[in-house]
Amino acid sequence: EFYAVLLSFIEVEKRKLMYQRAALFFLGLSILLAGTTLGSSTAAALLAKDQYVERPSGGDHPLVTDESGAVLAAARAETKLPLAVTPVVPMARLATVDRLELSYTSERSAAEDGKVNASYSVIGVEVFSNTSAAFTLATGGTVVLEGGLATYIDSGGTSRRVCASDITCSAFSVSDPVDAQILIQRAEDALSDLHEAEGERRRLSYSEYQGYEDQQCSGTQMYEVSKRTRALCRDWCERKAEEKCYTQSFCCGYKTGASSNKKKCRVYQDGDVGTTGNSNWKAYIYSAPLPAPLPPPPSQPPPSTPPLPPPPTPPPSPPPPSP
């Protein structure tokens, strides 16, 4: 009896081993079939594909190539630049500009600050110097940049000051990648050279400033530039306020220092004129633009004396008596 039980147990173990081997075989076969199907599908897709997207090593934008590696097309790469750098952008890149985004103030705007955001098609661009340029618009208007200031002149001849130094309010895009910071620095350097050559600070629409030693502007800082002398700082503050269409008094701050890297110039928010003690700073308070004087009254001609009436005509003399 023991022998019969032992034979039965051995038979069960043999069948168990056989079933395990069969399961492994069918599992391997399934994996093989799945791999074969995936491989054939991939091969078919690759054989049918004739275009590829590649990003070359060190490249700026992806390329579309064929199976041999020949370039079929290149994706257009665009760089957004502030309007103020136009005069120092190479003409080959300016020629790719097709639209301008502008911001200016208008009495027709329903916004509380009178701001208008606009986009115009560009049909031409001219560069006169490294501080002067002009865009011709499809609407018949022009955008003129002169000495760091931008003016939009519509087709009817109406001029409006345009924000020029910030891509959030006025900008254009050029094809091909460029280093925006390098162009901004070139534009700043060109303007500095221009103003130094003029021999005097530009007096825009702001009256004379008031200077305060050992004082720092305490308002909201809006813009900053470094490595400026005091005179260039004041000039830059005036230009920045004009570009941003400031309408109220504002504060300009200049930080002194033995090293040029420590010298800074800041413009604060339109309407901020507060100061606080700081021995490293000098504050300049600019008063708001003076109102334009009223035109003189038209000159009135002196009243003329009415002409004297003509003398009366004497009556005709009677005819002589007949004899």
Side-chain angles (χ1 to χ4, degrees), residues 70-91:
V71 176
L72 301 178
R76 181 176 180 179
E78 293 188 344
T79 303
K80 202 169 188 178
L81 297 172
L83 201 57
V85 306
T86 303
V88 297
V89 177
M91 180 55 71

Side-chain angles (χ1 to χ4, degrees), residues 4 21 32 44 52 58 74 77 143 160 166 175 184 189 195 197 199 214 216 247 256 279 282 290 299 306 308 317 323:
R21 290 177 177 176
L32 179 62
Y52 304 85
V143 175
R160 296 181 177 90
D166 192 341
S175 62
I184 292 172
D189 292 343
H195 301 146
D214 301 331
Q216 182 178 4
T247 59
T256 60
S279 59
K282 180 176 176 66
L290 299 177
S299 57
L308 295 175
S317 57

